[in-house]
Amino acid sequence: MIGRIAVYMLLILGAVLFSVPFFWLVSTALKSSQEYAADPGALIPKSLAWDNFGKAWTALPFPRFVANTVFVTLICTVAQVVTGSLVAYGFSRFEFRSRNALFYTMLATMMLPGQVTMIPVFLIWRQLGAIDTFFPLIIPAFFGGGAFNIFLLRQFFLGIPRELDEAAMMSGASYLTIWWHILLPLSRPAIATVAVFSFLGNWDAFEGPLIYLNSPEKYTVAVGLRMFQDSFGTNFEQVMAASLVHILPAVILFFCAQRYFLKGINLSGLGGR
Amino acid sequence: MRTLCLLVPVALAFLAGCEPDPGAGKTRIRYMAWGNPEALDLEQRLCDEFNARNPDIHVSFLKVPQSAYLNKAIVMFASRTAPDVVRIDHFNFPSLVRKDYFLNLSPLIARDPEFKSTDYFPATLDEGRYKGDIFGMNVLFGAILIYYNKTMFQKAGLEDPYELYRKGEWTYERMRQSAIRLSKTDQNGRPTQFGLILPPWPLTVPIVWAFGGEVLSPDMTQSRLDSPGTAKAFQFLTDLRWKDKASPTPSQAANSAFPFESGKVGMEFNWMGQSVRYRKVATSFEWDVVPVPRGPAGNPTILKGNQLVIYRETRQPEAAWRFVKFITGDYVERLLYVQRRRSFPTRKAIAGSKEFLETKERPFNTKAFVDSIANGRPLPINHRWGEWTNASNAEIDALFSGRSRNAKAVMAEAHRKAAKVLADEEGF
Amino acid sequence: MASRLARHQARWGFAFILPWLLGFLIFTAGPMLASLYLSFTKYDLHSSQWVGTENYRRLFQEDPLFWKALDNTVRYAVFSVPLGVIGSLAIAILLNQNVRGQRLFRTLFYLPSLVPAVASALLWQWIFNADNGILNTALGVIGIAPIEWLQNEQWTLPAFVLMSLWGVGGGRMVIFLAGLQGIPDSYYEAARIDGASPWIQFRRVTLPMLSPVMFFNVILGVIGSFQIFTSSYIMTGGGPNNASLFYALYLFRNAFEYFKLGKASALAWVLFLILLVLTFIQFRMSKRWVYYEGATS
């Protein structure tokens, strides 16, 4: 009983600590320019300047940006989850001579800061004629989707016992069947995690869209958000409003993705071990 | 599966682009510039106007967020995919021009009977020179002056700075006195009002010059941060903050607690271009402008513009040159600097025109604009600007954060660091 | 028979990782090697000149900013990684409890990680404001004098560590949560039947079963913390007096502001080697504490 009270108290305390700054963001988004200038630190705006959202939305063609971002993000997320889990399957369930060397090489790709490879990579895409298209943003997702996702899924797969695999193999299941019917369902929280991260990563991606997209009608939300900044003063309120709109789908997605995190969905086939 | 089938046609639609091609059959050029959404809209309007006047050319405008502009420009130039016409901040022009990214405009100028260099202020053309030839025309040109809160001065019973200027009495000492008088705290000792916001680098340079100091040698290869006038100027600023308490400390000024538009600040050093924004947000009080004050060595201010360049490997140099001439021509300058009052025209005729000098919008003291330009010196930006200023500013920061109150010692150290950077063999 | 099976599954294994390998060969390997080559040249986007190991020598012997940036970054990593991992584990455990409003709580804890970098920078500048920031106000309640967080050299690094902790309910926590979800209830039941206290259950069931993701979080925590960039770029520009000049920021400046691409590449490869060594050490040590249920070797 005391335990439960303690848990609730900690949760509430933590939730307040973590979300109060976020609510300042919301309140700033709702202040008018004059009110923000007068008292930037106020948590509760005196009047609700809903038109900040309107202004932010219409100052630039945000509906178009959102459409572009949704397009890129959806494709990338699906591709990253599928190819990432396939590659992780390979690294975790199989033995082949070059496995460890290749795995460490994959990890190593995360260790070189991206700034020094930015221009060479750009040159490769230029050779492929893909500048000012969505291809540089989408294609890499089909090649495993990044070391982060692969490494994460590999760790999860390694934590799943092999008995089920072996049982399935003895019944003649192919490797792909094992992947699809056994490993994936058992790693729902991990897959959900990768999907959420993938979605967020692509939704927020800025550098890629910035350098590969030239036509303004192809821009993504992250780029559009940045366009609010200028040397003649930043309209903080509108930046916050636009940021909020940008965050909203992510918050909703995260909230909904929770259902893959309910305890007890997994490993139902291994009761009594 | 069904969703995938849905995605494919959507994908094709996106990849192909949904709008009809407006540039079909015409000479196409691309133009890139930065700005906030309103400024970008304006640039788009200019492009549309140009397209209407020149039916054989189609300009498409690349809008890029300013904070990432240099990054994108560098990637484009380095990968040889740059647009035909690009606006380059003068902070970056000297370092980029020597990479052979820009087209030499002097031959184009020589061949062009319409173009007259004498139409332009020499300073604006000189900014775009490299090894004697012109590599960029000037846009968004301006100088530093002081914005002041007229209402605050009146309420405090202080004489209007512009009046002082007209009488020849607008000195740094007068400015300091006004700033002290205008700084107030409430009964708890918390500041409610400040006389002056301390200018950030490089807006401190006019003050350096006014006290007889220098920043770089005339050929811009050596640091002069150790000159006595420079130390005096920075001591003046340091004392203004810590002794006179007429200026907010960094933590007091953080989070835009005391921006000019809040009405809680008496004076601010800033670029001419800021007036566009202040017209919109500084509406609760009367404000105007005055040239920078006079010090022992005069009242020079800094001039700085931006370069409109043509990509060296452009396939349409003639069309690009026509566009550049348009942007720096009569119609556009009238629109930008007379109608919209963005900063200062580069054409002498416009700057001297009645429409420019008489205005119905703030700031009303347009003569302050004209005089500032006349009294201006170009900001000494060389091709290693970023590196040596980062090195020296890390030191100078000590004065403004309160770590040291001794400008002479700090400037000596800043000079040492800047000199080391400037002397280093290049490229390492 | 056994070796045919072994070869069969080896081929399949290789086939499965092929997508990654192809992507690596096409898009990553070339640029990485290009930057390695550049690190042995003097290159300013205009002309390049081979200089051998001169870039590296100058970094180690003649560049105090290199050491400063490295020092800042290492100190940041040393504090933010352990605190971050332990913190996110604690929060994940907290959020794994069956309470009402679990979804809401989890989302609230995760919110900070969703805030875009620019908005976050503004937010933190407000929090860290020496005069009326919420942090100093809260500290004032306990009687601590106001600290000039981002204006004082001594407090800048702690400020950044603190900022990193705000994201402690973020990605790492979610990964721990997923890991916690993956521990079968039957293990806990078995432990309880044997009479194990909650603490023993934690030590003998939770921690070992979590060790694969713990390992992941530590490795990525180290790699990530060494590459911290955006917050210092936006908030402090590396100051005051280079107190927040992190390695990645220094690299970025050399590449895109000073156009010293040879030096920037050298900086990148030095970081690469440091991370490689650190990761290698961690992998070695992992044999002792990381437990994989489904491993064969």
Side-chain angles (χ1 to χ4, degrees):
Chain A
M1 189 55 205
I2 298 183
R4 285 193 78 75
I5 295 182
V7 166
Y8 271 107
M9 278 179 53
L10 278 173
L11 278 173
I12 294 176
L13 179 68
V16 165
L17 260 178
F18 279 84
S19 51
V20 157
F22 182 81
F23 289 120
W24 178 76
L25 215 154
V26 174
S27 101
T28 304
L30 290 172
K31 291 183 190 151
S32 61
S33 294
Q34 286 83 358
E35 199 189 327
Y36 180 76
D39 187 5
L43 249 185
I44 313 212
K46 292 201 193 37
S47 57
L48 300 175
W50 290 109
D51 59 313
N52 274 341
F53 289 93
K55 272 189 250 168
W57 192 254
T58 55
L60 291 164
F62 270 105
R64 179 90 215 190
F65 294 162
V66 169
N68 292 336
T69 314
V70 166
F71 173 71
V72 171
T73 303
L74 278 182
I75 295 186
C76 282
T77 304
V78 171
Q80 278 177 315
V81 170
V82 170
T83 60
S85 58
L86 280 170
V87 175
Y89 183 40
F91 274 127
S92 60
R93 279 301 201 242
F94 296 82
E95 312 240 348
F96 44 99
R97 251 197 314 214
S98 42
R99 188 190 70 174
N100 284 346
L102 287 175
F103 181 70
Y104 292 129
T105 307
M106 184 195 74
L107 283 190
T109 60
M110 289 194 285
M111 301 181 201
L112 194 68
Q115 288 108 340
V116 293
T117 48
M118 186 191 292
I119 294 184
V121 173
F122 189 86
L123 287 173
I124 292 178
W125 286 110
R126 192 193 63 136
Q127 279 300 105
L128 296 173
I131 304 300
D132 202 24
T133 68
F134 287 117
F135 287 118
L137 307 175
I138 294 180
I139 302 285
F142 288 88
F143 287 95
F148 182 91
N149 292 330
I150 298 174
F151 185 22
L152 181 60
L153 287 173
R154 180 250 197 194
Q155 296 301 96
F156 272 98
F157 289 169
L158 279 178
I160 296 176
R162 291 186 179 243
E163 279 83 357
L164 278 181
D165 288 41
E166 285 157 14
M169 269 207 293
M170 291 213 264
S171 335
S174 73
Y175 288 123
L176 273 176
T177 315
I178 297 179
W179 169 73
W180 180 263
H181 285 281
I182 298 183
L183 277 186
L184 287 191
L186 285 182
S187 351
R188 252 197 223 132
I191 301 286
T193 306
V194 169
V196 168
F197 286 163
S198 189
F199 182 90
L200 291 175
N202 286 300
W203 186 255
D204 285 341
F206 176 73
E207 275 295 335
L210 173 79
I211 62 176
Y212 289 111
L213 299 173
N214 291 333
S215 318
E217 62 269 9
K218 299 205 178 102
Y219 281 174
T220 60
V221 178
V223 178
L225 255 186
R226 272 298 183 101
M227 299 229 277
F228 267 121
Q229 296 167 41
D230 62 346
S231 65
F232 295 111
T234 315
N235 298 329
F236 291 158
E237 328 73 55
Q238 286 173 31
V239 173
M240 296 303 182
S243 301
L244 267 184
V245 175
H246 188 210
I247 300 177
L248 205 58
V251 175
I252 297 177
L253 170 82
F254 184 79
F255 192 77
C256 296
Q258 292 303 313
R259 68 193 195 59
Y260 295 104
F261 284 78
L262 288 176
K263 247 171 122 32
I265 282 190
N266 355 271
L267 297 175
S268 40
L270 287 178
R273 251 191 98 239
Chain B
M1 200 57 217
R2 244 170 304 170
T3 30
L4 271 172
C5 289
L6 258 175
L7 277 177
V8 168
V10 175
L12 289 174
F14 267 103
L15 293 171
C18 315
E19 287 118 23
D21 186 0
K26 309 185 186 176
T27 307
R28 292 156 169 262
I29 56 174
R30 294 186 303 163
Y31 165 51
M32 186 163 100
W34 68 79
N36 64 7
E38 283 159 55
L40 292 176
D41 270 344
L42 188 53
E43 299 290 331
Q44 182 63 63
R45 264 192 53 190
L46 296 180
C47 292
D48 295 339
E49 180 68 27
F50 178 82
N51 287 336
R53 291 183 180 202
N54 297 273
D56 56 326
I57 306 181
H58 179 80
V59 175
S60 51
F61 178 47
L62 266 57
K63 310 177 183 180
V64 182
Q66 178 168 24
S67 55
Y69 188 84
L70 185 63
N71 199 345
K72 178 143 178 117
I74 291 174
V75 172
M76 291 181 103
F77 280 115
S79 64
R80 303 168 73 178
T81 55
D84 305 275
V85 179
V86 184
R87 189 203 294 160
I88 300 280
D89 196 315
H90 187 61
F91 283 121
N92 310 121
F93 177 78
S95 54
L96 290 176
V97 70
R98 43 181 50 211
K99 300 190 194 308
D100 280 344
Y101 286 155
F102 309 146
L103 189 65
N104 189 341
L105 299 179
S106 292
L108 283 169
I109 293 177
R111 279 204 305 262
D112 192 331
E114 285 178 359
F115 185 90
K116 287 205 281 290
S117 317
T118 48
D119 284 344
Y120 299 91
F121 287 105
T124 63
L125 290 181
D126 289 339
E127 252 200 3
R129 279 188 203 279
Y130 175 60
K131 296 195 175 156
D133 283 342
I134 295 183
F135 280 82
M137 293 296 292
N138 212 314
V139 290
L140 297 187
F141 179 73
I144 298 282
L145 27 65
I146 292 194
Y147 290 80
Y148 66 93
N149 186 331
K150 236 172 134 78
T151 313
M152 196 190 278
F153 270 82
Q154 280 167 359
K155 280 212 193 118
L158 287 170
E159 204 170 344
D160 186 283
Y162 191 67
E163 291 308 310
L164 287 173
Y165 170 72
R166 292 233 307 236
K167 289 197 287 190
E169 295 172 23
W170 180 234
T171 60
Y172 274 100
E173 189 49 36
R174 270 322 266 275
M175 184 198 82
R176 178 171 160 263
Q177 294 298 341
S178 312
I180 297 177
R181 284 275 298 280
L182 291 174
S183 302
K184 294 194 167 73
T185 55
D186 62 13
Q187 62 266 52
N188 297 326
R190 311 200 93 216
T192 51
Q193 198 172 282
F194 279 108
L196 174 73
I197 299 181
L198 278 193
W201 174 270
L203 281 65
T204 42
V205 176
I207 308 174
V208 167
W209 286 337
F211 277 77
E214 279 299 335
V215 169
L216 287 182
S217 58
D219 64 357
M220 298 204 284
T221 57
Q222 295 184 324
S223 157
R224 291 276 183 268
L225 289 171
D226 56 343
S227 48
T230 314
K232 284 206 201 99
F234 278 102
Q235 192 66 56
F236 174 81
L237 290 171
T238 311
D239 291 341
L240 205 59
R241 166 172 285 162
W242 301 108
K243 262 215 294 209
D244 304 324
K245 305 226 195 289
S247 218
T249 63
S251 31
Q252 284 169 336
N255 305 119
S256 315
F258 286 95
F260 182 73
E261 61 263 29
S262 65
K264 298 194 258 184
V265 170
M267 294 176 280
E268 181 191 43
F269 283 77
N270 218 324
W271 299 98
M272 287 177 176
Q274 279 292 342
S275 52
V276 177
R277 192 173 144 258
Y278 286 153
R279 270 196 290 280
K280 265 185 33 188
V281 299
T283 49
S284 55
F285 55 92
E286 288 185 17
W287 57 272
D288 220 303
V289 296
V290 62
V292 296
R294 189 164 45 84
N299 68 337
T301 183
I302 47 182
L303 301 176
K304 183 187 158 294
N306 299 278
Q307 268 64 58
L308 200 60
V309 302
I310 299 181
Y311 178 42
R312 195 170 66 103
E313 298 182 15
T314 175
R315 292 194 214 156
Q316 322 287 352
E318 299 294 337
W321 174 236
R322 272 163 70 183
F323 183 70
V324 168
K325 277 198 298 181
F326 172 73
I327 296 286
T328 54
D330 217 65
Y331 169 79
V332 170
E333 292 231 330
R334 219 168 270 285
L335 175 66
L336 289 182
Y337 307 121
V338 175
Q339 260 189 50
R340 299 295 187 102
R341 312 203 73 85
R342 274 191 84 178
S343 50
F344 200 85
T346 59
R347 296 176 76 93
K348 296 186 202 159
I350 311 238
S353 70
K354 215 164 61 103
E355 297 85 6
F356 179 71
L357 293 172
E358 293 173 4
T359 170
K360 298 197 187 54
E361 294 178 292
R362 287 190 193 283
F364 299 119
N365 301 337
T366 37
K367 190 149 179 308
F369 274 40
V370 177
D371 289 354
S372 296
I373 298 286
N375 254 334
R377 281 173 58 182
L379 184 58
I381 300 174
N382 62 7
H383 67 281
R384 314 243 351 250
W385 172 264
E387 209 182 340
W388 71 261
T389 52
N390 275 338
S392 56
N393 282 337
E395 273 309 311
I396 301 179
D397 196 59
L399 290 173
F400 297 117
S401 65
R403 243 187 316 128
S404 159
R405 309 275 172 98
N406 183 340
K408 196 144 173 281
V410 167
M411 292 317 292
E413 185 60 23
H415 165 76
R416 209 181 54 81
K417 292 211 166 130
K420 183 160 176 281
V421 166
L422 288 167
D424 252 346
E425 188 191 334
E426 292 181 32
F428 281 114
Chain C
M1 179 63 194
S3 76
R4 257 191 62 203
L5 183 58
R7 266 183 292 139
H8 179 247
Q9 65 109 33
R11 265 199 300 264
W12 270 93
F14 191 81
F16 278 119
I17 66 143
L18 215 48
W20 169 76
L21 187 59
L22 282 176
F24 171 73
L25 290 173
I26 301 176
F27 298 113
T28 317
M32 280 179 82
L33 290 173
S35 71
L36 181 60
Y37 171 75
L38 276 181
S39 74
F40 294 109
T41 67
K42 212 169 75 164
Y43 180 52
D44 62 352
L45 288 182
H46 177 57
S47 52
S48 92
Q49 186 193 333
W50 179 268
V51 291
T53 54
E54 187 64 10
N55 279 329
Y56 293 96
R57 185 194 71 77
R58 279 172 176 251
L59 272 185
F60 287 108
Q61 294 185 338
E62 292 175 22
D63 192 350
L65 280 182
F66 163 73
W67 292 107
K68 179 80 183 162
L70 195 57
D71 178 71
N72 286 340
T73 311
V74 168
R75 281 199 281 152
Y76 173 77
V78 160
F79 284 100
S80 69
V81 175
L83 286 175
V85 171
I86 296 176
S88 51
L89 177 59
I91 294 184
I93 293 178
L94 192 63
L95 289 175
N96 201 31
Q97 304 301 314
N98 261 323
V99 289
R100 288 235 295 261
Q102 196 186 47
R103 275 210 222 176
L104 177 64
F105 278 118
R106 286 179 183 170
T107 312
L108 284 177
F109 273 85
Y110 193 73
L111 274 180
S113 325
L114 290 172
V115 177
V118 174
S120 199
L122 273 172
L123 195 58
W124 280 99
Q125 280 173 333
W126 170 70
I127 296 178
F128 283 132
N129 188 319
D131 286 337
N132 50 18
I134 210 175
L135 189 56
N136 276 347
T137 316
L139 288 175
V141 164
I142 343 179
I144 303 183
I147 302 175
E148 290 195 308
W149 291 99
L150 295 176
Q151 285 83 32
N152 187 326
E153 271 178 83
Q154 321 273 37
W155 289 102
T156 308
L157 262 178
F160 278 90
V161 173
L162 213 58
M163 271 201 305
S164 79
L165 290 183
W166 194 48
V168 100
R172 274 196 283 241
M173 185 278 292
V174 172
I175 292 175
F176 272 131
L177 202 58
L180 285 170
Q181 303 282 317
I183 307 177
D185 277 337
S186 52
Y187 288 17
Y188 289 113
E189 271 176 42
R192 249 175 280 141
I193 290 176
D194 283 349
S197 68
W199 174 246
I200 300 285
Q201 285 179 46
F202 179 72
R203 266 191 58 202
R204 292 299 170 88
V205 178
T206 314
L207 279 187
M209 292 300 286
L210 266 189
S211 58
V213 290
M214 167 95 68
F215 183 57
F216 174 85
N217 273 335
V218 171
I219 296 237
L220 270 137
V222 170
I223 294 181
S225 65
F226 267 83
Q227 302 196 39
I228 174 179
F229 167 73
T230 313
S231 42
S232 65
Y233 180 64
I234 299 182
M235 291 174 66
T236 56
N241 198 19
N242 296 320
S244 61
L245 181 70
F246 291 115
Y247 200 88
L249 178 59
Y250 188 51
L251 199 159
F252 175 82
R253 282 212 178 132
N254 276 289
F256 288 98
E257 290 180 25
Y258 312 160
F259 301 117
K260 295 183 171 180
L261 280 112
K263 178 170 171 178
S265 301
L267 280 166
W269 279 87
V270 168
L271 182 67
F272 177 83
L273 286 170
I274 294 178
L275 288 175
L276 201 63
V277 168
L278 284 176
T279 307
F280 180 73
I281 295 178
Q282 288 172 78
F283 265 90
R284 278 282 189 207
M285 291 188 356
S286 77
K287 299 205 202 291
R288 270 190 257 162
W289 63 278
V290 180
Y291 167 69
Y292 294 116
E293 273 270 308
T296 47
S297 49

